[in-house]
Amino acid sequence: MNVIGVLTSGGDAPGMNAAIRAVVRTAKYYDMKVMGVRKGYEGLVHGDIFEMTARDVSDIMHQGGTILQTARSLEFKQIEGVRRAISTARYFGIEGIVVIGGDGSLKGARDLCTEGMPTVGIPGTIDNDIPYTEYTIGFDTAVNTAKEAVDKIRDTATSHERCNIIKVMGRSSGNIALNVGIATGAEAILIPEREIDFTRDILGPINAGKKRNKKHYIIILAEGVQDSDGLEKQIESETGIETRTTILGYVQRGGSPTVVDRVYASQMGSYAVELLKDGTGNRIIGVDKNRVFDIDIYEGLDMPRIIREDLIELSKILSI
Ligand code: ATP
């Protein structure tokens, strides 16, 4: 292939820029042309497409977000939208596409493949919730941002003898909560993958902490679990401990990407171009035992969800 397109789609994630940079630089290395598509599938359907030069990706590695912008496209979810996107891409001379995004975006990439456009998907989402890969771009930065916020909240919780509920992102996945909770020594980690028993999971650790003269209690709540208002009131009424909630929200999506995100994003972006250069589409890229690999897009997206029982178990042991 000589001309490829690149787009970012769905929620933005720190490290997407490093992936775009790697796509452009690797393509230039092989004398291929790269067409940047703005605003994800929306831009592909409507032709918001421009030729990218090596300069377009200078000085972007350290920036969060995505220079190509991202969007959610309802039109693309219909088969007519997919077909329109492909004819627009062909009009711009695009022979293969790199899609960087989360679960929904990779399903969109699969539709492009089915309709005849060779496409390679790169997992980019802070949630790290895509079963075929151990890692998704943005996760490390997001958990580090959340970890720093929790460390700061812990300082003030100690001064006031409070219980703090900290709600973190992750949609229907508890991966961010689980990792942040373990990294910050939270008393309780509440995730959607595990049914919550108030007495066992919340009162138990708080009462055990009281006996040891603990001065603060940190509860990490994944956004997919439950409304934090009700939880706050229930903890106050059953323990008498003043309880406050902090919702971290979009702060977790921002910030300069960590080394982990930059290196994986660079590897995956470059790998995607290597595949398309040789005419190989219909693949998605992932990480397995710290190595970047590719797998058939249909097979990869059909894999069942993995629940990190080992981390759940560890969190129970360490919170007693
Ligand atoms: P994140 O996990 O960070 O939110 P995402 O890629 O999962 O990212 P979505 O909003 O689910 O974000 O998807 C982004 C876009 O991908 C959608 O606007 C839509 O155009 C396309 N898309 C989503 N789901 C599908 C699907 N099942 N089939 C085809 N295309 C889809």
Side-chain angles (χ1 to χ4, degrees), residues 9-12 41 71-74 76-77 101-108 111 124-127 129 171 253:
S9 165
D12 62 327
Y41 293 125
R72 303 195 197 262
S73 168
L74 283 180
F76 185 80
K77 276 191 154 180
D103 187 46
S105 304
L106 297 182
K107 286 181 179 143
D111 290 349
T125 165
I126 63 166
D127 302 337
D129 60 349
R171 296 230 240 169
R253 280 199 190 281

Side-chain angles (χ1 to χ4, degrees), residues 247-268:
I247 298 172
L248 293 185
Y250 282 95
V251 71
Q252 293 157 97
R253 280 199 190 281
S256 182
T258 59
V259 170
V260 172
D261 276 322
R262 294 183 199 197
V263 173
Y264 275 138
S266 300
Q267 285 182 279
M268 291 200 225

Side-chain angles (χ1 to χ4, degrees), residues 8-72:
T8 48
S9 165
D12 62 327
M16 281 182 163
N17 280 332
I20 297 167
R21 173 179 178 271
V23 168
V24 173
R25 293 267 161 99
T26 307
K28 294 290 161 203
Y29 180 81
Y30 290 117
D31 282 330
M32 293 160 74
K33 202 156 125 179
V34 181
M35 307 301 286
V37 182
R38 293 192 191 89
K39 299 185 184 143
Y41 293 125
E42 201 61 15
L44 196 61
V45 173
H46 296 286
D48 196 350
I49 296 172
F50 66 105
E51 184 175 344
M52 297 186 83
T53 66
R55 287 242 55 82
D56 287 324
V57 292
S58 294
D59 276 340
I60 63 164
M61 177 91 103
H62 60 289
Q63 293 169 20
T66 156
I67 57 158
L68 289 176
Q69 301 178 274
T70 173
R72 303 195 197 262

Side-chain angles (χ1 to χ4, degrees), residues 109-165:
R110 183 176 59 189
D111 290 349
L112 286 173
C113 296
T114 305
E115 292 301 313
M117 173 57 73
T119 301
V120 176
I122 294 179
T125 165
I126 63 166
D127 302 337
N128 201 15
D129 60 349
I130 308 181
Y132 79 89
T133 178
E134 274 171 13
Y135 195 76
T136 63
I137 297 169
F139 179 69
D140 190 61
T141 307
V143 288
N144 274 291
T145 303
K147 180 255 320 165
E148 273 169 36
V150 176
D151 285 348
K152 286 177 183 156
I153 290 167
R154 187 183 280 286
D155 290 345
T156 145
T158 312
S159 317
H160 294 280
E161 292 202 45
R162 262 188 200 146
C163 173
N164 280 81
I165 300 168

